[in-house]
């Protein structure tokens, strides 16, 4: 983006007659591969990966796990987010006080436990209407500033995802992304920069809750929803990305993946896996079974036991490494993902 374009005021409203802004919303539990998929899509013209938008205000005010943009600068100094953050802040209110207000609304209205209430009642209270207005203005401002027609949001909090259809001028497309809970548990067991450690029991409890709520969203919006396993993505990354582009109405010819390789450039993600800072030639691995030797047996048993019955519904085998065909929810997964 040129310096001259940054100097113009951001138009946060939808132009008359414009097509609705598309948001490719990835749901599911953390450590499911959403960051790498989002950053690959970020390489597609007119796509912009915002990262986990839910945490923009919390992290920028120093209330979260990290305050860095994917570009390496603090969110408050990034040429994207430094212009987005002040847009909805009332005059005379500090960034910290405004962040506290946003966090309070989020906790009151759009946590995972609120998913079914949002699906059933929409913006039913003044607080959630205020939050919906904030998210509407923020998404449109990001699109105006970046020239994006599709925003990729990897927040993964189902309560936020359930609110998207109620945002003016926005059309959401949902990807319910699931990864083997044993691999997720192993990922949570290792310290990584600003990411803390979580037990297998706790990570799998969250895995179960977030995936139940994500499935409820897919069942409510089957016409714009799809299910995807991380294992299918790494089995055929180029095919999966191509299918996701078709899914949200984009040209699959813009697919940046060649075989298992993609060239990643600097992104402007709000939090996510610390690998979001990696740029350059990136090779996508073809296996995700290191949990077999890296995850202790008690932790492995906790993950398989606490993830039942979704473990089998999503096609995982207790003694194997390769998934079998799932009982699908929402629309069929993209065929190009190599699903078995």
């Amino acid at each position: 983006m040129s310096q001259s374009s940054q100097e113009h005021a951001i138009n946060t409203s939808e132009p008359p007659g414009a097509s609705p802004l598309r948001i490719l919303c990835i749901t599911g539990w953390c450590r499911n591969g959403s960051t790498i998929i989002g950053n690959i899509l970020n390489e597609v013209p007119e796509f912009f990966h915002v990262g986990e938008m839910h945490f923009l205000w919390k992290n920028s005010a120093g209330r979260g796990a990290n305050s860095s943009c994917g570009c390496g600068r603090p969110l408050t100094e990034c040429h994207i987010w430094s212009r987005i953050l002040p847009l909805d802040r009332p005059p005379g209110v500090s960034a910290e006080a405004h962040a506290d207000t946003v966090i309070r609304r989020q906790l009151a209205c759009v946590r995972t436990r609120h998913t079914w209430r949002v699906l059933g009642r929409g913006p039913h209270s003044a607080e959630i209407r205020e939050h919906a207005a904030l998210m509407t203005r923020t998404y449109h401002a990001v699109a105006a500033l970046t020239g994006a027609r599709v925003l990729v949001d990897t927040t993964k909090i189902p309560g936020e995802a359930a609110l998207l259809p109620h945002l003016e001028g926005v059309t959401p497309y949902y990807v319910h992304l699931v990864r083997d809970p044993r691999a997720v548990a192993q990922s949570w067991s290792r310290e990584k920069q600003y990411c803390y450690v979580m037990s297998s029991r706790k990570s799998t409890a969250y895995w179960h809750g977030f995936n139940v709520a994500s499935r409820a969203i897919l069942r409510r919006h089957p016409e714009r929803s799809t299910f995807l396993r991380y294992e299918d993505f790494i089995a055929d990354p180029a095919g999966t990305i191509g299918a996701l582009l078709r899914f949200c109405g984009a040209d699959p010819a813009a697919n940046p993946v060649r075989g298992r390789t993609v060239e990643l450039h600097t992104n402007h993600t709000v939090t996510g896996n610390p690998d979001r800072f990696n740029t350059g030639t990136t090779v996508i691995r073809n296996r995700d079974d290191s949990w077999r030797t890296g995850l202790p047996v008690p932790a492995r048993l906790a993950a398989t036991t606490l993830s039942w019955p979704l473990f089998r519904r999503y096609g995982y085998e207790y003694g194997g490494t390769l998934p079998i065909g799932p009982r699908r929810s929402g629309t069929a997964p993209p065929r190009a993902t190599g699903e078995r």
Side-chain angles (χ1 to χ4, degrees), residues 43-321:
E43 299 297 324
V44 178
E46 297 187 326
F47 274 64
F48 185 80
H49 181 202
V50 299
E52 302 181 11
M53 185 75 91
H54 175 89
F55 298 101
L56 172 62
W57 299 271
K58 183 176 184 178
N59 286 6
S60 65
R63 306 282 197 258
N66 73 99
S67 59
S68 295
C69 173
C71 69
R73 292 178 175 273
L75 290 165
T76 53
E77 296 178 13
C78 166
H79 76 273
I80 299 291
W81 301 116
S82 64
R83 298 192 62 197
I84 298 296
L85 283 165
L87 290 177
D88 208 59
R89 188 189 311 157
V93 175
S94 69
E96 292 76 13
H98 179 55
D100 289 339
T101 298
V102 175
I103 294 167
R104 177 180 55 78
R105 290 176 190 157
Q106 291 171 331
L107 292 175
C109 304
V110 290
R111 300 177 72 179
T112 300
R113 69 182 66 171
H114 302 132
T115 303
W116 290 268
R117 186 168 66 187
V118 177
L119 286 174
R121 299 173 61 189
H124 56 277
S125 67
E127 274 195 320
I128 196 170
R129 285 192 292 271
E130 289 172 351
H131 185 63
L134 167 66
M135 298 307 293
T136 300
R137 286 191 290 269
T138 301
Y139 282 127
H140 282 294
V142 173
L145 188 57
T146 62
R149 298 179 63 184
V150 181
L151 300 181
V152 182
D153 190 337
T154 51
T155 291
K156 295 179 290 298
I157 295 179
E160 288 277 17
L163 187 61
L164 288 175
H166 301 283
L167 306 189
E168 187 176 354
V170 165
T171 300
Y173 292 81
Y174 294 106
V175 179
H176 181 187
L177 180 61
V178 174
R179 184 183 181 190
D180 190 317
R182 296 165 294 192
V184 172
Q186 185 196 18
S187 179
W188 276 107
S189 71
R190 298 173 293 192
E191 289 188 23
K192 192 173 185 180
Q193 294 186 35
Y194 49 79
C195 296
Y196 54 88
V197 171
M198 185 183 294
S199 69
S200 177
R201 184 180 298 273
K202 187 173 182 180
S203 74
T204 307
Y206 277 118
W207 182 95
H208 190 278
F210 272 60
N211 283 315
V212 167
S214 297
R215 186 168 182 262
I217 295 172
L218 265 66
R219 290 168 66 90
R220 178 60 61 90
H221 303 288
E223 72 285 358
R224 291 195 308 275
S225 300
T226 192
F227 174 88
L228 174 65
R229 287 177 301 212
Y230 174 73
E231 294 78 11
D232 294 328
F233 160 64
I234 63 173
D236 182 12
T240 301
I241 297 300
L244 290 177
L245 293 176
R246 288 191 293 271
F247 168 64
C248 61
D251 185 358
N255 191 339
V257 183
R258 298 294 178 265
R260 312 197 64 80
T261 304
V262 61
E263 192 75 19
L264 296 179
H265 298 85
T266 301
N267 63 76
H268 293 281
T269 50
V270 177
T271 201
N273 191 304
D275 289 346
R276 68 196 173 102
F277 299 115
N278 297 339
T279 58
T281 302
T282 301
V283 179
I284 301 164
R285 62 183 178 180
N286 62 358
R287 298 180 67 87
D288 188 40
D289 59 356
S290 61
W291 56 265
R292 281 184 160 277
T293 55
L295 189 66
V297 171
R300 196 184 314 168
L301 291 175
T304 53
T305 302
L306 293 175
S307 59
W308 186 88
L310 297 183
F311 185 90
R312 291 289 295 176
R313 177 176 293 149
Y314 295 148
Y316 296 110
E317 293 182 306
Y318 292 108
T321 60

